[in-house]
Amino acid sequence: MSEAAEAATPEVDPRRDAARVEKLLAEVRAMVGPVAWPRIEELVARLMALYGAALGRVLALVTESGAADERLRARLAADELVAGLLALHGLHPTPIAERVGQAVRRVRQRLGAGAATVAAAVDARGVARLRLDGRWSSGVPRAAVEAALRQAVEEEAPDVAAVEIDGIEWTAPAHP
């Protein structure tokens, strides 16, 4: 890409831009009447479907060319912007259940030795179901563990429909 093209391309921050899109849609919805809003929703949905189909076709062409090896899949999955768009369109190279498991393992590593087990599954509706099991001796309150798990899963697998967490209850030990 030329320097002029790079200068003209705004900095992309997937999280910031997604939040801005949501805000803009909410503002537009508040401004338009009930007749216009369904058409706007359809327009956005059709644009999303079009871009998703194009991304899928690009991946198919790359695969047909023989270039879609494990290294390329890993690079696509590691790029936050690309991985998020692929997940949004159901094209992520890593299965959703595997990504949920990776997120859970990351949180458990951060919690250290006090973290017990977290069983993770994704149901047919795309709901990530996490179950806290075992003996937790972490000084971290359950609410903080749940928040960390929820955030990690949503970051790693933005295509989950929801995150549900259940299992044992505990209270953090009182600090003197």
Side-chain angles (χ1 to χ4, degrees), residues 42-135:
E42 181 182 356
L43 171 66
V44 171
R46 287 182 183 264
L47 283 171
M48 294 285 295
L50 181 64
Y51 281 107
L55 277 172
R57 186 68 185 132
V58 167
L59 290 177
L61 291 169
V62 169
T63 300
E64 287 172 13
S65 75
D69 60 6
E70 285 307 310
R71 262 185 67 222
L72 177 60
R73 286 185 184 88
R75 289 181 68 196
L76 292 172
D79 184 286
E80 183 180 10
L81 177 61
V82 173
L85 285 175
L86 292 175
L88 180 66
H89 294 289
L91 300 169
H92 198 286
T94 307
I96 191 169
E98 190 175 325
R99 289 182 280 132
V100 168
Q102 290 169 351
V104 167
R105 284 189 294 281
R106 226 179 34 248
V107 171
R108 288 191 65 244
Q109 283 178 332
R110 284 197 319 246
L111 291 172
T117 61
V118 179
V122 179
D123 70 17
R125 295 177 302 132
V127 176
R129 298 186 183 279
L130 308 181
R131 179 165 178 78
L132 303 167
D133 291 315
R135 182 173 162 82

